[in-house]
């Protein structure tokens, strides 16, 4: 069955929570320590918390076999809050398909710059799509420092 890219809905929260948790705990394993992964992922996915997080966010999901396998969100200033693909569907064009929709959405709204705090695991993906590293960061999550990168992309006017 082909992959469908569609706008994010509140009802996607449970699937997005699962994708996030799996992407962090499985997909980012080679980039972060067990302690860092546990701090970043937090406890097992809580759909009710994710429903609140995603409420009023714009974004897109990739759906295959009636299940969300990736998602990205963006605000009206061009900040990408979430960008995750199931570790079981990496390197299959899922992230690129979602990203293309997200960038198109931003361009239609005359957003001139995209920005995000990007993990080590996702850095190569964003570099491939024309983003630049502004600086390395070490935010503390649940008492544990996690390396990530503030990255930006200037969109054509």
């Amino acid at each position: 069955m082909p992959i469908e890219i569609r706008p994010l809905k509140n009802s996607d929260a449970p699937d997005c929570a699962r994708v996030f948790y799996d992407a962090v705990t499985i997909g980012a394993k080679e980039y972060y320590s067990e302690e860092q992964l546990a701090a970043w992922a937090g406890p097992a996915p809580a759909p009710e918390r994710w429903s609140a997080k995603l409420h009023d966010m714009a974004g897109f999901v990739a759906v295959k076999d009636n299940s969300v396998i990736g998602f990205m969100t963006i605000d009206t200033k061009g900040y990408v809050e979430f960008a995750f693909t199931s570790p079981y569907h990496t390197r299959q064009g899922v992230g690129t398909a979602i990203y293309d929709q997200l960038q198109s959405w931003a361009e239609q709204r005359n957003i001139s710059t995209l920005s995000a705090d990007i993990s080590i695991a996702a850095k190569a993906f964003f570099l491939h799509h024309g983003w630049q590293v502004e600086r390395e960061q070490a935010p503390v999550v649940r008492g544990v420092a996690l390396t990530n990168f503030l990255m930006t992309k200037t969109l054509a006017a």
Side-chain angles (χ1 to χ4, degrees):
M1 177 177 241
I3 295 170
E4 172 195 2
I5 306 300
R6 64 162 172 74
L8 175 72
K9 300 184 290 193
N10 272 353
S11 60
D12 294 323
D15 283 341
C16 290
R18 178 190 38 79
V19 168
F20 166 80
Y21 192 80
D22 289 350
V24 170
T25 61
I26 298 167
K29 235 179 191 168
E30 70 181 89
Y31 302 97
Y32 295 94
S33 71
E34 287 297 322
E35 179 187 35
Q36 290 172 316
L37 293 171
W40 183 10
E48 62 282 353
R49 281 200 330 260
W50 276 85
S51 184
K53 281 183 187 187
L54 297 176
H55 189 70
D56 296 331
M57 278 194 183
F60 296 90
V61 296
V63 179
K64 182 177 182 183
D65 299 327
N66 297 314
S67 183
V68 172
I69 59 171
F71 71 105
M72 291 185 188
T73 65
I74 186 170
D75 69 17
T76 57
K77 292 183 172 104
Y79 183 76
V80 177
E81 176 75 27
F82 297 107
F84 293 94
T85 301
S86 163
Y88 307 109
H89 296 90
T90 57
R91 304 198 185 284
Q92 298 175 19
V94 175
T96 295
I98 301 168
Y99 176 76
D100 288 347
Q101 288 292 317
L102 185 110
Q103 183 171 314
S104 178
W105 182 93
E107 289 169 341
Q108 290 169 9
R109 284 151 184 82
N110 297 313
I111 295 172
S112 60
T113 305
L114 300 178
S115 65
D117 296 305
I118 302 297
S119 71
I120 298 169
K123 181 181 173 189
F125 173 87
F126 283 89
L127 287 171
H128 176 76
H129 288 280
W131 288 57
Q132 296 180 14
V133 174
E134 299 297 328
R135 69 177 175 268
E136 185 173 320
Q137 308 174 121
V140 176
V141 179
R142 295 182 180 88
V144 179
L146 302 171
T147 299
N148 72 16
F149 304 90
L150 173 61
M151 295 182 72
T152 60
K153 180 177 183 180
T154 302
L155 300 179

